[in-house]
Amino acid sequence: MTTVVLVGTLDTKGGEYAFLADRIREHGVEVLLVDAGIVGEPLATPDVTREEVAAAAGADVAALAAAGDRGAAVETMARGAASVVEGLYAEGRLDAIGGLGGSGGSALVTHAMRALPIGVPKLMVSTVASGDTTPYVGSVDVTMMYSVVDIAGINRVSARIIANAAGALAGMAKVTLPELGEEKPIVVASMFGVTTAAVTTARERLEELGYEVLVFHQTGAGGGSMEKLLASGFAVGSLDVTTTEFCDQVAGGVLAAVPERLESAGAAGLPQVVSLGALDMVNFGPRDTVPERYADRNLYVHNPTITLMRTTPDECREIARLVARKLNAANGPTVLFIPLRGVSAIATEGQPFHDPMADEALFSTLREELDTAKVEVHELELDVNDEAFALAMANRLHELLEARP
Amino acid sequence: MTTVVLVGTLDTKGGEYAFLADRIREHGVEVLLVDAGIVGEPLATPDVTREEVAAAAGADVAALAAAGDRGAAVETMARGAASVVEGLYAEGRLDAIGGLGGSGGSALVTHAMRALPIGVPKLMVSTVASGDTTPYVGSVDVTMMYSVVDIAGINRVSARIIANAAGALAGMAKVTLPELGEEKPIVVASMFGVTTAAVTTARERLEELGYEVLVFHQTGAGGGSMEKLLASGFAVGSLDVTTTEFCDQVAGGVLAAVPERLESAGAAGLPQVVSLGALDMVNFGPRDTVPERYADRNLYVHNPTITLMRTTPDECREIARLVARKLNAANGPTVLFIPLRGVSAIATEGQPFHDPMADEALFSTLREELDTAKVEVHELELDVNDEAFALAMANRLHELLEARP
């Protein structure tokens, strides 16, 4: 039976969840209701009770409520709900997942959604869907439907929105995947505007060799999506040309790396070929949004909405230690390519971010910190976008993939 | 026949749109393809051609392409697409609308989506759905599905995401609205944390009197949603207690008013009772995000994520002129209630934002600027959250609604 799982706080939103569940059933789809509320009695009858949800996180509802720490209780119920829906999915009892709520409910329910693989349909009806959705969507396919009105009772507006959500959930739950013909092995690749030439060359080479290449723009979320795909077994290897998100992590830019960046391939034992693409730049929005403390830095106004800042030798050393630590921890074949003539299209000689001191800080710290018993290092007298550099990376990754047992 | 309308740039994304259309048809739903591309030849056969889309905006495709101004061309095609889908909806040939794209495509397609009434299903598959969605969602129910990978070709990931989108669009297109029983007249009301007492009292009074009250948090998008509902004929009147978004508009806060704020009821000739709720505060995020130029202002750290700034007499005068100009332009019965003892819960005597000079600047400028032949003004020696103040507003709105022809 096709089933939509709904996760929600049935103590405060029970009536709205019951309305959503009824609408879904009208489409001939089964509903499983998971209660993640803690305060009052559930206003709708759950199929998985809050006691079971708390237990899935190793906790006890009564104790959570008695402790009076709302933040901790919500966090625990979110973990429990994630564990419950992972279990339902593994048992084949979850074809889509949905929820509705304000900012608190959205945080709780989407936490559970993000535990499921990419491709499993996820829909959150939310009061906070028109704004920054990063905390809710993260790196995966959580679909956000703006509720327009508060989710507090069924009125003529909320009835229409929730009925639409029911249609979307039922429709997605019924989806069967189309045949795509021959399934080529997937390789992921990380790209930025200033490493486009490198990634394009490498991608074309890998496609020639029989791979399908998925390219991820390094926007913070983009790097996160790439890690998520590596962790969920979609891909066989990683061509991580562009590790630029570490600059934003270290210097407070707007496209910072997710915590698991550059770790998933290694954790899964997958072959990875890594480079230092765009480690010369920290990203900010319009010029007037660059923090005051950076007023005297080498800033480059790329366009009215993007301002770039050259990384310093100190920042480069910190980034190098971060990269080395992550690569040293990898369980799979790991190769680093160092482009001695420049890490981006604007870091080569004569370009605005050309800075041999900063580059040397980056390269020498890597030489000191990398465990060469585990990480194979290639230093090439080329810049990252040189065709020979890109081909060398692609070919080395192919060799590693061919050498797999 | 149930129909999903797809709007897109078929010159660059024709293959992906054809794949989406095929998946939708598998659900037994018709597809109409609207081409908003301008550069190359369409890669899929449109039902509404780019020539027709351009013509709907009073333009010519060849001339647009020849002019070489990409921004202007995209803007024109967005207007044309909006006009086309409004026409299809009016003819009963649009049950849901969908699209897919990057930031440029998302801007174009959601512009067309936002032309449709709230409640008409709208789904955008987008590379920019994990981030600030305000430019795409705005004040309406545009649902955003994060594409995870670039929308460039059909691979194993994009195939799953697009198949899910097809299921969601087909499912939403098939939705029939549930019967809700007696349909009470709808009144909208504007609220903020610091005017909750006022709005709750007024809402309960209006519910007693037989209305359904929809409450909108004044988050920028919230005020916009309220205006959109007033403009689209859902509501019979407006209880606009909380006009605080003008503070953020004037002083550069994060919850600024949309341009049409406080205009839709007046434009539609609907009765409106307005007050000055929370005109004492400009909203910012965490304390360290408050612009440097405001370092010496009266700042109030509400919690780690919200910092409030007291408006000055100068800002209050500017806000008053703005409010007066909008109310003077109204075509319907318009009443302003002035709470002489304080405009928010923290602006009364003894509270951190109590500031008689700023209040006097606000009130006296309103007295000077309002056209009292058109706007009825009540000055009460009460604060905005006083029960008597809230009841007076609710009762006056009821009288105006009763007096309608």
Side-chain angles (χ1 to χ4, degrees), chain B residues 110-121:
Chain B
T110 61
H111 179 88
M113 290 178 175
R114 291 194 302 275
L116 296 168
I118 286 170
V120 177

Side-chain angles (χ1 to χ4, degrees), chain B residues 225-306:
Chain B
S225 299
M226 188 171 114
E227 297 295 326
K228 185 86 181 177
L229 280 183
L230 286 164
S232 60
F234 266 97
V236 297
S238 174
L239 190 85
D240 208 341
V241 178
T242 314
T243 40
T244 184
E245 293 168 331
F246 294 121
C247 300
D248 290 46
Q249 177 181 329
V250 162
V254 295
L255 305 180
V258 297
E260 65 273 26
R261 186 73 182 87
L262 198 57
E263 294 180 3
S264 309
L270 300 175
Q272 57 182 332
V273 171
V274 179
S275 189
L276 310 173
L279 284 182
D280 56 327
M281 54 182 64
V282 182
N283 291 267
F284 294 103
R287 175 63 186 84
D288 63 5
T289 66
V290 177
E292 303 265 334
R293 66 183 182 281
Y294 291 142
D296 298 333
R297 293 280 295 268
N298 180 0
L299 297 172
Y300 179 76
V301 177
H302 176 66
N303 66 35
T305 61
I306 299 178

Side-chain angles (χ1 to χ4, degrees), chain B residues 130-358:
Chain B
S130 184
D132 182 6
T133 61
T134 316
Y136 313 108
V137 176
S139 306
V140 304
D141 53 339
V142 172
T143 297
M144 301 283 288
M145 179 181 281
Y146 181 42
S147 62
V148 183
V149 293
D150 275 1
I151 298 168
I154 301 300
N155 54 57
R156 244 172 293 161
V157 177
S158 63
R160 290 182 77 151
I161 304 284
I162 296 176
N164 286 343
L169 281 164
M172 292 195 290
K174 292 174 186 169
V175 164
T176 51
L177 289 182
E179 279 301 320
L180 290 180
E182 184 204 2
E183 297 221 329
K184 297 177 182 177
I186 289 180
V187 165
V188 299
S190 54
M191 188 166 90
F192 221 45
V194 290
T195 61
T196 300
V199 175
T200 303
T201 302
R203 175 175 59 74
E204 287 170 0
R205 175 66 182 143
L206 288 166
E207 286 171 355
E208 253 173 47
L209 292 165
Y211 300 94
E212 180 171 329
V213 182
L214 301 187
V215 175
F216 294 83
H217 284 275
Q218 296 303 295
T219 57
S225 299
M226 188 171 114
E227 297 295 326
K228 185 86 181 177
L229 280 183
L230 286 164
S232 60
F234 266 97
V236 297
S238 174
L239 190 85
D240 208 341
V241 178
T242 314
T243 40
T244 184
E245 293 168 331
F246 294 121
C247 300
D248 290 46
Q249 177 181 329
V250 162
V254 295
L255 305 180
V258 297
E260 65 273 26
R261 186 73 182 87
L262 198 57
E263 294 180 3
S264 309
L270 300 175
Q272 57 182 332
V273 171
V274 179
S275 189
L276 310 173
L279 284 182
D280 56 327
M281 54 182 64
V282 182
N283 291 267
F284 294 103
R287 175 63 186 84
D288 63 5
T289 66
V290 177
E292 303 265 334
R293 66 183 182 281
Y294 291 142
D296 298 333
R297 293 280 295 268
N298 180 0
L299 297 172
Y300 179 76
V301 177
H302 176 66
N303 66 35
T305 61
I306 299 178
T307 309
L308 306 173
M309 177 175 81
R310 186 35 160 128
T311 44
T312 62
D314 275 351
E315 286 162 356
C316 284
R317 272 185 283 272
E318 188 173 345
I319 293 163
R321 282 190 291 270
L322 200 59
V323 168
R325 181 165 52 71
K326 289 178 181 242
L327 295 184
N328 289 343
N331 299 321
T334 298
V335 180
L336 179 70
F337 275 77
I338 299 183
L340 295 169
R341 294 288 184 89
V343 296
S344 88
I346 65 168
T348 54
E349 201 170 344
Q351 294 295 320
F353 279 5
H354 183 239
D355 184 341
M357 298 259 291

